[in-house]
């Protein structure tokens, strides 16, 4: 469902950009449809493009909110900045024992594990 909603969101965003660029520009020549005569001229077309822009903008906001709600529901609780709960405690500073075969050595006493965001990405 998320993929379908994301594809619809991208299509609405592309259509919104296209409709905004087609509108006749008031001041400078910023829009594609800003020239003299042509395909999109007249008051009726301006009203149609304005209404289309409003509808596409509403659809864009709706899909944005729905994507946010879906991602919050499926995401794990907690923050990415929370320290990871490690199952092994670091060795005490006075106990210098040899590590078992295949075990990773503990952090030195002066370097406590920080549990930052880069450590989580490993």
């Amino acid at each position: 469902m998320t993929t379908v909603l994301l594809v619809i969101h991208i299509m609405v965003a592309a259509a919104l950009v296209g409709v905004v660029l087609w509108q006749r520009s008031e001041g400078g020549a910023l829009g594609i449809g800003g020239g003299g005569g042509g395909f999109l001229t007249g008051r009726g077309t301006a009203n149609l493009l304005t209404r289309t822009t409003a509808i596409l903008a509403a659809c864009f906001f709706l899909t944005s909110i729905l994507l946010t709600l879906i991602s919050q529901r499926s995401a794990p609780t907690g923050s990415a900045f929370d320290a990871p709960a490690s199952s092994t405690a670091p060795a005490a500073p006075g106990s210098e024992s040899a590590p078992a075969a295949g075990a990773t050595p503990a952090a030195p006493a002066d370097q406590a594990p920080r549990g930052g965001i880069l450590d989580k990405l490993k």
Side-chain angles (χ1 to χ4, degrees), residues 60-72:
F60 181 81
F61 282 114
L62 181 68
T63 55
S64 297
I65 291 170
L66 288 175
L67 282 169
T68 302
L69 292 175
I70 288 173
S71 70
Q72 284 181 351

Side-chain angles (χ1 to χ4, degrees), residues 6-108:
L6 184 61
V7 168
I8 292 171
H9 183 71
I10 291 171
M11 289 171 56
V12 166
L16 185 61
V17 168
V19 168
V20 166
L21 287 176
W22 264 14
Q23 291 181 11
R24 183 179 177 100
S25 64
E26 297 280 329
L30 298 177
I32 293 174
F39 175 60
L40 295 175
T41 58
R43 181 174 293 162
T45 306
N47 288 338
L48 174 71
L49 288 175
T50 303
R51 287 185 189 137
T52 306
T53 304
I55 291 170
L56 286 173
C59 290
F60 181 81
F61 282 114
L62 181 68
T63 55
S64 297
I65 291 170
L66 288 175
L67 282 169
T68 302
L69 292 175
I70 288 173
S71 70
Q72 284 181 351
R73 186 173 30 137
S74 63
T77 58
S79 173
F81 297 109
D82 290 340
S86 64
S87 59
T88 59
S95 64
E96 297 284 333
S97 62
T104 59

